[in-house]
Amino acid sequence: MPDTVSHHDHRPAARPPVVGRAVAVVLVLVSIVTSVVLTARHPDALVTMLPLPDMRDLHVDFDTFWHSAVALAQGGDIYATDAKLRNLNPPLLSVLLLPFAAVDALTGYRIWMVLTLLMIVGSIWAVARELRLRPGVTALVMLGVVASSPVHGTLVLGQIYPLLLVGLVAGWIAQRHGRLQLGYALFGATVALKPSLAPILLLPAVLRRWPQLRAGIYGAAGATLLGVAVAGPGSAIGWLRIAFTEGVPNTVDNASIPGLAVRLAAAAGISPAIPQVAGLVLGATVLIGTLAWLGHRRADVDPTGTAVWAVIAASLLCSPIAWHNYLMLLWPGMLILLARGRTATVAVAFAVALIPVSWNAEWPPDGFGQAVARSLYCAILLGYWVVLSRSATSAASAEPASRAPVASGAGGS
């Protein structure tokens, strides 16, 4: 199969304006200083909570998944357990985590914590290797990743985002090497784990790459049916019931546009019903606009560039729930920009991710101004979306010839 590793990954980038570089330096310094100050003011940082044994209130996400896995092993309902939180994920996740039912919740969490770190570091390393980043640059990126708030939060709660990151990176690497249909089949399997990422399967549709669209749909359908076959048909009905009844949570960790609308409405004393709908409509507009723009510029879109990561960012903005820890799913797109010489932009992107969740403790929960300040995560996600979207066509339009290997492999597997 053709190797689609493009030389444009490392083409010299135009020097950003002096003002832009100055703003980037200021944002990086402010983010680092803010992180240090908050850590000093709130010494009970997330990483200090990793050894604690409290599964029900601290490592609550993994505890939820573990209870569902135990229920599956015992032939019970994976969505009716004694866990504190309701499992919002499709049956496939419980099937994948079934081996953890063989151990107690705390032991399973500690194993999962190690696997989580390995999956995150391994995925970022794989992207850096694929882009041929220098070892020193890769080391700095790893330092930023390990020190970031999304990684700390994911580790403490025991969330599944590293699984999604592995699936997305594997699909992207497959595409880089001409295995376009395999790449979208892997994207589809990832969507089966987290359906809120389903819009990435629309990207080949707007680019008119029909074999990839079919592969993505088959991958998502096949993985979903596998989960339902193992967990039972009732699990599908149970998950659909949850998916269509879950509202937009008014929590500071929710970085989506619907979450922002509900948060601001609550601070203003407005009933959340209309703002929730308005937020969903605005988020859908962002997503549809992103796909429409990429479709309009499809001749200039590099499928192995930042386009897929821009759509993921738009999907998160549109989703009723997009926790701040989802941000790690966009880091491969930032590494693509780093390989293209966008050092200042990428430095800011990783620096703002350092700001710990104790940021929200600095702002009282009441008041409209405080609600705006507590929406930092939404602002960060919006920034990622803007940067990734603006870069989705630039590489291909600068070097149209680099698309040739991708086009020649469009019908391959």
Side-chain angles (χ1 to χ4, degrees), residues 134-153:
R134 293 190 298 272
V137 174
T138 300
L140 286 175
V141 168
M142 290 298 186
L143 180 62
V145 166
V146 173
S148 70
S149 178
V151 168
H152 296 169

Side-chain angles (χ1 to χ4, degrees), residues 26-36 348 350-356:
V26 169
L27 289 175
V28 169
L29 290 177
V30 168
S31 298
I32 293 175
V33 170
T34 300
S35 301
V36 172
V348 172
F350 279 99
V352 295
L354 297 176
I355 301 175

Side-chain angles (χ1 to χ4, degrees), residues 196 243 246-250 254-260 262 276 280 315-323:
S196 58
E246 188 70 15
V248 178
N250 176 20
N254 191 358
S256 71
I257 292 177
L260 173 67
V262 170
Q276 175 174 301
L280 289 169
S315 302
L316 296 177
L317 285 169
C318 175
S319 176
I321 302 175
W323 306 124

Side-chain angles (χ1 to χ4, degrees), residues 13-400:
R15 289 174 62 83
V18 174
V19 174
R21 294 201 302 272
V23 170
V25 170
V26 169
L27 289 175
V28 169
L29 290 177
V30 168
S31 298
I32 293 175
V33 170
T34 300
S35 301
V36 172
V37 170
L38 289 176
T39 301
R41 287 172 58 87
H42 303 273
D44 52 340
L46 288 176
V47 289
T48 65
M49 302 177 183
L50 291 176
L52 300 181
D54 185 354
M55 292 299 301
R56 184 169 181 81
D57 294 317
L58 189 57
H59 313 306
V60 63
D61 280 50
F62 183 83
D63 186 60
T64 301
F65 307 146
W66 179 83
H67 273 89
S68 291
V70 170
L72 177 58
Q74 297 175 350
D77 186 347
I78 62 176
Y79 296 112
T81 69
D82 294 330
K84 180 179 179 180
L85 299 181
R86 183 163 60 168
N87 187 356
L88 304 179
N89 296 279
L92 179 62
L93 178 64
S94 297
V95 173
L96 293 180
L97 298 185
L98 188 57
F100 288 93
V103 297
D104 62 90
L106 182 58
T107 300
Y109 163 72
R110 288 171 175 166
I111 295 172
W112 181 251
M113 183 174 61
V114 174
L115 292 175
T116 292
L117 193 57
L118 290 176
M119 284 188 285
I120 294 172
V121 172
S123 295
I124 299 301
W125 176 83
V127 174
R129 181 176 180 273
E130 186 69 25
L131 294 170
R132 303 192 183 111
L133 297 181
R134 293 190 298 272
V137 174
T138 300
L140 286 175
V141 168
M142 290 298 186
L143 180 62
V145 166
V146 173
S148 70
S149 178
V151 168
H152 296 169
T154 297
L155 286 169
V156 170
L157 294 172
Q159 293 168 322
I160 65 163
Y161 309 138
L163 270 179
L164 307 180
L165 181 62
V166 168
L168 294 172
V169 167
W172 175 77
I173 290 177
Q175 290 191 91
R176 293 269 296 186
H177 292 275
R179 306 297 297 273
L180 303 184
Q181 290 179 245
L182 173 61
Y184 265 93
L186 291 169
F187 286 164
T190 306
V191 167
L193 278 173
K194 187 60 64 173
S196 58
L197 299 179
I200 62 175
L201 301 184
L202 297 177
L203 180 58
V206 300
L207 298 181
R208 300 184 182 180
R209 296 176 178 271
W210 311 119
Q212 287 79 66
L213 174 62
R214 289 193 295 269
I217 293 174
Y218 294 156
T224 298
L225 290 175
L226 172 63
V228 172
V230 177
S235 64
I237 298 173
W239 181 80
L240 288 173
R241 186 182 300 114
I242 292 172
F244 284 105
T245 58
E246 188 70 15
V248 178
N250 176 20
T251 60
V252 293
D253 288 356
N254 191 358
S256 71
I257 292 177
L260 173 67
V262 170
R263 187 180 311 114
L264 297 181
I270 302 173
S271 172
I274 295 179
Q276 175 174 301
V277 174
L280 289 169
V281 170
L282 181 57
T285 301
V286 169
L287 174 59
I288 294 171
T290 302
L291 289 167
W293 168 249
L294 293 173
H296 177 69
R297 296 288 304 275
R298 61 181 176 275
D300 298 325
V301 172
D302 177 4
T304 63
T306 64
V308 66
W309 313 105
V311 174
I312 292 173
S315 302
L316 296 177
L317 285 169
C318 175
S319 176
I321 302 175
W323 306 124
H324 177 52
N325 297 341
Y326 273 110
L327 200 66
M328 70 172 62
L329 302 185
L330 304 179
W331 287 340
M334 289 299 166
L335 292 191
I336 295 172
L337 296 183
L338 184 59
R340 295 177 182 174
R342 299 285 299 279
T343 306
T345 299
V346 176
V348 172
F350 279 99
V352 295
L354 297 176
I355 301 175
V357 293
S358 51
W359 164 269
N360 298 307
E362 296 293 314
W363 306 93
D366 300 321
F368 190 82
Q370 289 86 339
V372 173
R374 289 161 68 92
S375 299
L376 174 65
Y377 299 148
C378 183
I380 292 173
L381 182 55
L382 278 167
Y384 270 63
W385 168 70
V386 169
V387 170
L388 292 169
S389 297
R390 291 183 62 184
S391 306
T393 61
S394 59
S397 60
E399 293 191 56

